Amino acid sequence: MTIDRDKALGAPPTVQKISWTARDVLLYHLSLGAGADAAAGPELALTYERGLTVLPTFAMVAGTGISSGTAPAPSFALPGIEIDLRRILHAGQGLKVHRPLPAAGTATLSSRVSEVWDKGKAAVIVRESTATGPDGDPLWTSRMQIWARGAGGFGGEPGPRTGWTAPDRAPDAVLDAPTTTQQALLYRLNGDLNPLHVDPEFAKAAGFDRPVLHGLASYGLMAKALVGGVLDGDASRLTELSVRFGGVLFPGESVRTAVWRDGDRLLLHATCPERDDAPVLVHGTARITP
């Protein structure tokens, strides 16, 4: 594993054209359990192409889905950075949508490494991406943090500390989002084929008892729970969502999200109730519209 921070930060952005269809959106929603809860009903706004609305977190997989039974081999290749897939974990994710996402569309996606932090035994790589629609206006901006074990010690800055404190009161809402034992098998069809999420031997080599659910699946589950439980089913009201990944979730477990509301800002903390409320998504914040 090698990191050349100057090369990583100095590299020009990677620019690519992406596209997606309503089928991709439907698959994404189904991979988060849309329509599976009899009490919630079929959730037609998320599961039916007529009047289909798009969860903002679909931006994380737009243009990456598997088609025609083929997909690129999983890799983690960035300028100046060479890291074994088994040594990386998704550390955090931020997203801001500038307008509601269309159910089908095209965009230009520009991505670059914006920071590399030295945590001693690990490195944190920050990758920023901006998607622009055909009209030239931005669709979304995302900020991904990758934790690379064993890649620290190169002499860089450790990065800023993130301050987050839960309010000293009961949450305004507690939302449960169950998963199935097949959740990772379905979610990976959105394009993340890292074997950590499906191959038991690979997962054990990476230090886990069994395959873990994708971090972005937990992230999407939180977003879906917020839309259904706090925003009256209106996905367009969720405009920003940022979290740090505080622990893994195994397929078949649940994401329980505590929500504190402060005007148009939400504070969020998600745990796994099946494992004594072990943290899953922490330091969570969201922005909503009225």
Side-chain angles (χ1 to χ4, degrees):
M1 294 182 288
T2 60
I3 290 182
D4 184 332
R5 183 176 182 273
D6 291 339
K7 183 176 180 180
L9 297 181
T14 299
V15 180
Q16 62 181 128
K17 298 287 186 179
I18 63 172
S19 64
W20 63 94
T21 67
R23 183 179 184 277
D24 299 318
V25 175
L26 290 168
L27 173 61
Y28 176 72
H29 291 165
L30 292 173
S31 75
L32 298 178
D37 184 353
E43 298 182 292
L44 294 183
L46 301 178
T47 61
Y48 189 31
E49 58 273 16
R50 291 187 183 180
L52 180 63
T53 60
V54 185
L55 288 173
T57 48
F58 172 74
M60 300 295 90
V61 303
T64 65
I66 299 173
S67 62
S68 304
T70 61
S75 64
F76 186 81
L78 295 172
I81 299 173
E82 296 180 6
I83 298 175
D84 188 331
L85 269 176
R86 291 169 294 185
R87 308 297 292 176
I88 66 173
L89 288 173
H90 202 154
Q93 183 64 56
L95 170 68
K96 179 178 182 178
V97 289
H98 303 284
R99 47 180 161 151
L101 303 184
T106 61
T108 300
L109 187 67
S110 177
S111 303
R112 67 184 183 92
V113 174
S114 62
E115 193 50 84
V116 181
W117 295 325
D118 189 345
K119 298 295 186 179
K121 293 183 178 180
V124 172
I125 301 152
V126 182
R127 192 180 192 211
E128 293 186 355
S129 300
T130 299
T132 305
D135 58 3
D137 291 333
L139 281 169
W140 70 79
T141 303
S142 67
R143 182 178 171 90
M144 175 185 289
Q145 294 185 16
I146 299 295
W147 182 271
R149 292 176 291 172
F154 54 86
E157 294 294 324
R161 292 186 176 183
T162 302
W164 189 99
T165 304
D168 187 19
R169 59 182 174 87
D172 298 302
V174 177
L175 311 173
D176 281 344
T179 70
T180 70
T181 56
Q182 294 177 304
Q183 203 87 37
L185 302 178
L186 182 57
Y187 187 86
R188 70 191 300 268
L189 299 182
N190 293 304
D192 185 344
L193 301 183
N194 188 336
L196 176 66
H197 307 296
V198 66
D199 187 333
E201 292 186 1
F202 189 98
K204 288 181 180 178
F208 299 99
D209 292 336
R210 57 190 187 276
V212 302
L213 188 64
H214 305 68
L216 284 180
S218 301
Y219 182 71
L221 286 162
M222 174 184 275
K224 181 178 178 298
L226 291 173
V227 169
V230 176
L231 303 179
D232 301 318
D234 187 350
S236 68
R237 292 180 59 196
L238 180 60
T239 60
E240 296 183 34
L241 181 60
S242 296
V243 301
R244 291 179 62 182
F245 296 99
V248 299
L249 191 77
F250 295 101
E253 296 178 334
S254 304
V255 179
R256 174 169 291 170
T257 302
V259 183
W260 293 268
R261 187 163 184 170
D262 180 16
D264 67 352
R265 184 170 181 254
L266 305 178
L267 294 177
L268 312 165
H269 181 77
T271 61
C272 173
E274 291 86 355
R275 282 186 282 115
D276 299 322
D277 287 325
V280 177
L281 303 173
V282 299
H283 294 192
T285 61
R287 292 284 180 182
I288 59 175
T289 60

